Amino acid sequence: MFYAYVLQSINDPEYFYKGHCEDLYTRLDQHNYKMTKSNKHKAPFNIVYYEVFENMGEAIKREKYFKSAAGRRYLKKKISEL
């Protein structure tokens, strides 16, 4: 299984990180233990949204959508419903 996911910074709730991976909770640990250079200054994180896919290509495609203007609007709506 592969995942497209959205993390929210606990210290900066306005900051969201979008990514993809094969093991969601291992990836969350990598972010929270500051093993990811791009956003280690925003750690720790909570998972606020994810979707599951059969292959990596679909997960990457969805991650790219999340990063688009339409994807950000979609996520804002989905996250606010939670």
Side-chain angles (χ1 to χ4, degrees), residues 5-47:
Y5 63 89
V6 180
L7 305 179
Q8 182 177 29
S9 172
I10 293 170
N11 296 329
D12 183 2
E14 298 298 314
Y15 181 80
F16 293 90
Y17 178 83
K18 295 107 179 163
H20 72 278
C21 65
E22 190 169 358
D23 184 335
L24 187 58
Y25 291 98
T26 297
R27 188 68 177 133
L28 177 62
D29 286 344
Q30 290 171 344
H31 284 289
N32 285 337
Y33 290 114
K34 300 181 180 182
M35 297 167 69
T36 306
K37 289 182 183 182
S38 65
N39 63 5
K40 67 181 179 181
H41 62 287
K42 297 291 187 176
F45 294 93
N46 283 324
I47 299 169

Side-chain angles (χ1 to χ4, degrees), residues 66-82:
F66 289 164
K67 292 177 177 180
S68 72
R72 288 191 302 273
R73 286 191 301 270
Y74 171 83
L75 288 170
K76 186 176 182 178
K77 182 178 178 186
K78 283 297 218 181
I79 292 168
S80 70
E81 291 174 354
L82 300 177

